[in-house]
Amino acid sequence: MHQLVGRLNSLDPQAGETLRIVSYFDVLITRGAGLDGLLRGAAVLSGTVAGAKIRGRVTRRDPDGHPVTDDADRRRHSSRRSHADWTVWLERDGEPEPADEMIVERLALGVELLDARRSPERGLDAIVDQARSVAERTALLAKRRIDPATPVRVLATAADAPEVSEAPSAIVPTRYGLLRATLDLSGTIRRPPEPVGFGTRVRADRAPESWEAAIVALRLTDASTPAVDAADLGAMLLLAQTYDPEHPHEDVRALARLDRRSADVLRTLVEADSVRSAAAELGMHHSTVQARHEALTHTLGYDPRSNVGRMRYIAAALLLRLTDPVIATRPRSPWNT
């Protein structure tokens, strides 16, 4: 992640700063930071006092991590987020800094998750947690008056996506950072915020299976396909669920190392009926595309236009979407086989 942030900073400083803030809070939350830890993190990143008011109790921290006890009502809030039970903010006398909104947004997501953990019957993080026993999940479902055999599916969206008013949701830490899990009991959620991944429909006491499928589906969304249903993936879903993105297959690494133009040529070669039709679609001379085809075959170690080669390409392209690009392009250790 640090390498990816550095690479983004060189290309787009604002995007790099946003990713740095997101990853910073994701690490805090994944490691179980409490309210003080989240506030200290927000104060350090912003360089000013960060505060929270939860059920009437105010807590504030300065960039050195010290408690701040003066009158909070007299301080100007440069950025803030509010919920029914809590409010978080940054205190700044001057104009807000460019990163203030993102810092407060991630702070709010962290406080929302803490609030759900204190009252697990209100949140879904435990219901979709594979580490919880079936008995624990069944007990939590009972508190929501949900029969364990009720057909449900879980939706995955970005952590900062709006909540669906008719369905319960919670912020959940995942290997891809914080995401929002939404429990669809009725099957009538027609316009969830996009991008969105739809999990498979399962019994309520097997909700973690649907959640894992929804995460895979969300990772496969893009600008042209902002909504993906895991049920449409068929056997490819099984492949994705058994894949370890921390240890990419060499086919995945080979795709990740291609530059954008080579990746476009490869995709077109795989999808086209012939090399000549691929050349026409790419606007390139037939002989040039033929040469690129031969070079790609050498690079990949297989012919992407053969039946087996097409299967390898499709599988690798799917798994690449589930892999951090920094990990995928990192040279393999000679000790790994």
Side-chain angles (χ1 to χ4, degrees):
M1 181 62 76
H2 291 302
Q3 295 177 50
L4 183 58
V5 170
R7 192 177 302 173
L8 271 176
N9 272 329
S10 64
L11 299 174
D12 185 340
Q14 186 61 46
E17 177 66 9
T18 296
L19 183 58
R20 185 175 74 90
I21 293 168
V22 169
S23 62
Y24 185 93
F25 276 102
D26 283 356
V27 169
L28 284 178
I29 294 168
T30 301
R31 293 180 177 175
L35 178 61
D36 284 343
L38 293 173
L39 289 175
R40 284 197 298 269
V44 168
L45 289 173
S46 64
T48 190
V49 173
K53 183 176 183 181
I54 303 176
R55 296 183 177 87
R57 180 182 177 183
V58 175
T59 306
R60 299 155 69 212
R61 293 278 176 174
D62 66 17
D64 294 323
H66 300 140
V68 179
T69 57
D70 62 2
D71 189 354
D73 292 335
R74 296 182 179 179
R75 299 299 302 272
R76 182 175 181 272
H77 298 173
S78 67
S79 302
R80 65 188 296 156
R81 292 284 188 281
S82 295
H83 187 271
D85 296 322
W86 50 263
T87 301
V88 297
W89 64 84
L90 294 180
E91 300 175 8
R92 197 182 297 281
D93 293 330
E95 292 298 314
E97 297 291 330
D100 282 2
E101 285 298 312
M102 177 57 67
I103 293 170
V104 170
E105 179 181 286
R106 304 313 287 192
L107 173 61
L109 291 173
V111 170
E112 180 180 340
L113 180 57
L114 288 177
D115 194 44
R117 285 174 173 171
R118 290 192 183 98
S119 304
E121 70 275 13
R122 298 178 54 202
L124 292 180
D125 58 317
I127 294 175
V128 300
D129 185 356
Q130 188 71 55
R132 300 264 183 165
S133 67
V134 174
E136 288 180 284
R137 296 199 299 269
T138 299
L140 293 173
L141 288 167
K143 291 180 179 181
R144 288 179 167 272
R145 299 183 179 180
I146 300 174
D147 188 295
T150 302
V152 303
R153 68 174 173 176
V154 184
L155 279 59
T157 55
D160 54 358
E163 297 183 53
V164 177
S165 59
E166 70 270 26
S169 69
I171 302 300
V172 181
T174 75
R175 69 172 60 195
Y176 300 112
L178 298 180
L179 298 175
R180 180 176 294 280
T182 299
L183 187 65
D184 181 6
L185 290 164
S186 62
T188 59
I189 299 180
R190 302 301 182 192
R191 294 184 177 275
E194 295 178 339
V196 57
F198 292 89
T200 49
R201 191 164 292 281
V202 297
R203 287 170 49 107
D205 57 4
R206 292 170 52 191
E209 296 176 25
S210 182
W211 174 233
E212 292 300 320
I215 294 172
V216 170
L218 178 64
R219 294 288 295 185
L220 298 180
T221 60
D222 55 26
S224 61
T225 311
V228 173
D229 191 334
D232 295 334
L233 299 178
M236 297 296 283
L237 178 60
L238 180 62
L239 173 66
Q241 289 176 321
T242 57
Y243 173 66
D244 181 1
E246 295 294 328
H247 300 90
H249 188 275
E250 185 54 38
D251 284 358
V252 177
R253 293 180 182 274
L255 290 188
R257 288 192 291 264
L258 297 178
D259 59 71
R260 178 170 296 182
R261 182 57 175 166
S262 295
D264 288 342
V265 170
L266 175 58
R267 177 184 54 78
T268 305
L269 279 168
V270 170
E271 296 175 353
D273 294 331
S274 65
V275 174
R276 190 170 297 279
S277 61
E281 182 174 341
L282 292 165
M284 299 169 63
H285 193 276
H286 171 267
S287 61
T288 302
V289 175
Q290 182 64 50
R292 296 294 291 272
H293 174 213
E294 293 170 1
L296 286 166
T297 296
H298 176 74
T299 298
L300 299 174
Y302 60 87
D303 183 352
R305 287 194 50 77
S306 68
N307 289 336
V308 172
R310 281 190 170 95
M311 287 190 292
R312 288 179 65 172
Y313 167 79
I314 292 170
L318 169 76
L319 299 179
L320 180 59
R321 303 283 286 276
L322 306 177
T323 308
D324 185 322
V326 171
I327 294 175
T329 55
R330 185 181 299 153
R332 296 191 69 173
S333 165
W335 305 108
N336 293 335
T337 58

